[in-house]
Amino acid sequence: MDGTRLQRLSREVALGLPAAELAHPFGPEWDVFRVAGKMFMLHHRLPDHGAKDVAAPGGTSIIVVKAEPGDAHALRRAHPFIFPGYHLNKKHWITVVAPGEVTAADSDSPDDDARPQQSPAPDGAPDAVTGIDEIAFGGLVRDLVVDSYRNVVLGLPKAKQPVDPMRFGSES
């Protein structure tokens, strides 16, 4: 999966959530997904010169979602395509890059144990660097977007919650 497909999938999921909206408060290059005025996901394309706080190559399409701090740490350790939140609080936000855009060199970060340097997998096989196939990655992206939405809804006053965050999404 490439970055364009990553953003298309996450956009479909986000806009299918109750009371979710798309806005551009930071300019046209930032897609901001909100619920009750609170951000739960960002889309952006890294500058061609790269970014200091994301170890992905410049020009890479990313999504940024909210996660519980313990989950964020575990996700970064488990997946070389998940990094600390780009331009956001690194404890509560994570950046997701399409596995097809991550190389073994990109996945080396201080938050990781030493990962083996591997070469790309053939089409259809799990990526050698990320160890995840496109179907599993798509499911992970759906879960991350819904969890981010739910985390934000949970922080809203009860009267502004469009869904019960404790029950929403648990049937999936």
Side-chain angles (χ1 to χ4, degrees):
M1 179 177 293
D2 64 13
T4 301
R5 290 174 66 194
L6 164 66
Q7 288 186 344
R8 187 178 318 127
L9 171 62
S10 62
R11 175 187 308 270
E12 283 176 19
V13 173
L15 293 178
L17 297 169
E21 64 181 15
L22 172 62
H24 295 93
F26 308 128
E29 64 279 357
W30 290 90
D31 290 344
V32 178
F33 297 83
R34 304 186 299 196
V35 58
K38 300 290 185 178
M39 178 174 62
F40 69 91
M41 183 173 70
L42 289 171
H43 281 182
H44 187 58
R45 185 164 185 87
L46 296 177
D48 286 334
H49 64 277
K52 291 180 183 174
D53 55 355
V54 175
T60 301
S61 294
I62 61 170
I63 68 168
V64 185
V65 292
K66 192 168 190 176
E68 290 296 319
D71 292 343
H73 179 74
L75 286 162
R76 287 192 309 268
R77 289 186 58 83
H79 302 292
F81 49 83
I82 297 180
F83 302 94
Y86 180 65
H87 279 312
L88 294 168
N89 180 303
K90 309 296 185 237
K91 184 176 178 183
H92 295 278
W93 293 86
I94 56 173
T95 298
V96 182
V97 176
E101 297 185 7
V102 176
T103 66
D106 296 329
S107 68
D108 291 335
S109 76
D111 198 27
D112 298 334
D113 294 325
R115 288 196 175 108
Q117 299 289 313
Q118 299 173 324
S119 58
D123 288 342
D127 184 277
V129 173
T130 65
I132 193 167
D133 63 34
E134 193 163 328
I135 293 170
F137 180 70
L140 177 62
V141 169
R142 283 181 188 86
D143 290 347
L144 291 172
V145 173
V146 171
D147 286 348
S148 180
Y149 171 87
R150 192 176 14 218
N151 285 334
V152 171
V153 168
L154 189 59
L156 294 172
K158 197 160 188 87
K160 289 189 173 193
Q161 293 178 349
V163 297
D164 178 351
M166 301 310 286
R167 301 182 86 173
F168 181 77
S170 59
E171 62 277 349
S172 57

